[in-house]
Amino acid sequence: MSLKKVLVTGGAGFIGSHTAVELVNAGYEPVIVDNFSNSFPFVLDNLSQIVGRSLTFYEADCNDKEAMGRIFAKEQFYGVIHFAAYKAVGESVQKPLAYYHNNVGSLVVLLELMAEHKVKHLVFSSSCTVYGEPEKLPVDENAPVQKANSPYGNTKQICEEVIQDTVASGQELKAIALRYFNPIGAHETSLIGELPIGVPNNLVPFITQTAAGIRKELTVFGDDYDTRDGSCVRDYIHVVDLAKAHVRAIAYASEQSETSLYDTFNLGTGDGSTVLELVHAFEKATGEKLNYVVGPRRSGDVEKVYADVTKSSEVLGWKTEISVEDALRDAWNWQLKVKDQVFEPTK
């Protein structure tokens, strides 16, 4: 019996590459599409080391309908997991049209091709940014979607709406939007991990690069918030736990009797850590002393947000298994593997 093929767009990226591994572990056949605008070809070789064989790969842009159409015609997919997107909040403010064209446009291309080729299962990479500054904590899936504070965040909201409208139109589509909180960590082999382009936008790679001496110091933005120690609270989730949720979501969609459905699930631990708590947890997990300073608040930062994961646990049948401390140790081991290398765009 042939394995069910799942298209993984952006499959050479941080979350996509880990999901490709978990798809193999669960008995699926991942087919990776990436254009290396925010990732690197060596990841494919490292993936093959982890899973013990090479994976099918196409270099293509998801906005190129002709190229993507050829891939759909050849591979006959069971489902699609759509990661490919621009993701830098600050850059999205400077280049909004590029973000709308790439993030929304690529989804439209995929939905059109899924209809043409009768591919009925979609898992979409969304974000907790859709909640903005939540009215109550922990935030659940029924919380109102707030006005986005960046074009990046708005693309996630628009993409969710596009999927909902597509399902409502009668297209046979079982679609799941997964709203991530803060993915961190790396694979236990240290063969794949987060690859920030240039100066990291996310906290944990900035922590590991500071500990490695690549960055002079880490700035903690604000210590006067209404939190345990004055720094912002976030829900940090190991990327392997996150990857497993995507595999579970594909299975969950196929288990539902309806011909069309749309649902959303939070992916987090259900608990929040402050920035300073994360810094101290890193020091404890690795034995490395971190050079950090406290600076002023950063414009646009939400004070605290963490997930209510009741629905993911009870309906999706998924929960996190790996601790924040283990995630930080894995991230550090990955940093040691890539040493003092700073990744720059390939395109």
Side-chain angles (χ1 to χ4, degrees):
M1 187 179 82
S2 61
L3 300 178
K4 293 175 179 175
K5 292 182 180 180
V6 176
L7 170 62
V8 184
T9 71
F14 178 38
I15 306 171
S17 60
H18 287 82
T19 300
V21 171
E22 297 307 325
L23 283 165
V24 172
N25 291 343
Y28 293 91
E29 180 64 32
V31 176
I32 294 171
V33 169
D34 207 299
N35 67 354
F36 299 124
S37 66
N38 199 30
S39 58
F40 299 89
F42 78 84
V43 171
L44 301 172
D45 294 331
N46 290 11
L47 278 175
S48 67
Q49 289 185 55
I50 294 171
V51 302
R53 59 183 175 84
S54 61
L55 298 176
T56 303
F57 168 75
Y58 296 93
E59 184 171 353
D61 188 319
C62 291
N63 277 285
D64 185 340
K65 188 174 181 181
E66 187 176 329
M68 293 302 296
R70 289 194 294 268
I71 297 168
F72 267 78
K74 183 176 181 181
E75 294 294 347
Q76 297 180 313
F77 295 117
Y78 176 75
V80 174
I81 303 179
H82 184 36
F83 293 106
Y86 294 156
K87 62 177 185 177
V89 170
E91 184 185 59
S92 77
V93 176
Q94 303 299 319
K95 302 177 180 178
L97 296 183
Y99 272 68
Y100 288 114
H101 175 76
N102 186 66
N103 294 8
V104 181
S106 63
L107 174 65
V108 171
V109 166
L110 286 171
L111 288 170
E112 289 173 342
L113 289 170
M114 289 178 74
E116 290 171 22
H117 294 272
K118 296 180 169 53
V119 181
K120 299 175 182 178
H121 304 102
L122 172 67
V123 177
F124 175 67
S125 165
S126 192
S127 168
C128 69
T129 59
V130 302
Y131 298 122
E133 185 87 59
E135 296 171 359
K136 69 180 182 73
L137 289 170
V139 60
D140 65 26
E141 291 85 352
N142 295 319
V145 171
Q146 307 277 11
K147 178 174 171 54
N149 58 12
S150 71
Y152 163 74
N154 202 29
T155 65
K156 292 300 183 185
Q157 294 181 6
I158 291 170
C159 285
E160 285 198 12
E161 292 171 352
V162 169
I163 296 167
Q164 290 179 71
D165 290 344
T166 303
V167 169
S169 74
Q171 179 172 325
E172 283 193 35
L173 179 66
K174 298 180 183 183
I176 307 295
L178 299 178
R179 294 171 173 172
Y180 313 161
F181 281 68
N182 293 72
I184 61 172
H187 197 265
E188 63 182 3
T189 60
S190 302
L191 285 167
I192 53 175
E194 190 165 4
L195 296 168
I197 305 295
V199 179
N201 289 304
N202 295 334
L203 176 60
V204 170
F206 209 109
I207 286 175
T208 61
Q209 288 192 10
T210 302
I214 299 170
R215 308 293 163 196
K216 178 184 175 186
E217 63 187 15
L218 169 76
T219 299
V220 176
F221 295 107
D223 64 352
D224 58 351
Y225 288 99
D226 182 20
T227 62
R228 289 184 293 272
D229 55 26
S231 60
C232 290
V233 171
R234 296 291 182 271
D235 190 338
Y236 298 97
I237 174 176
H238 198 295
V239 65
V240 171
D241 279 334
L242 191 68
K244 290 177 179 177
H246 293 77
V247 181
R248 177 67 201 122
I250 280 280
Y252 172 81
S254 68
E255 292 160 5
Q256 306 312 302
S257 58
E258 304 97 314
T259 55
S260 299
L261 68 87
Y262 172 78
D263 210 345
T264 59
F265 292 94
N266 285 341
L267 298 185
T269 64
D271 194 16
S273 301
T274 71
V275 173
L276 287 169
E277 285 171 346
L278 203 74
V279 166
H280 299 319
F282 174 82
E283 292 178 329
K284 182 179 179 182
T286 64
E288 299 291 326
K289 191 68 180 165
L290 201 63
N291 184 27
Y292 71 92
V293 297
V294 174
R297 294 186 182 194
R298 184 170 56 181
S299 176
D301 273 350
V302 173
E303 180 173 273
K304 46 192 169 186
V305 60
Y306 54 96
D308 183 327
V309 291
T310 305
K311 184 180 176 185
S312 293
S313 175
E314 295 181 355
V315 180
L316 194 61
W318 167 91
K319 62 180 180 180
T320 57
E321 299 174 330
I322 309 173
S323 71
V324 168
E325 290 75 17
D326 285 343
L328 292 167
R329 188 181 61 244
D330 289 343
W332 178 236
N333 288 338
W334 163 247
Q335 181 69 61
L336 293 174
K337 186 91 167 185
V338 297
K339 299 186 172 63
D340 57 357
Q341 184 175 358
V342 177
F343 296 95
E344 300 295 346
T346 54
K347 295 187 176 182

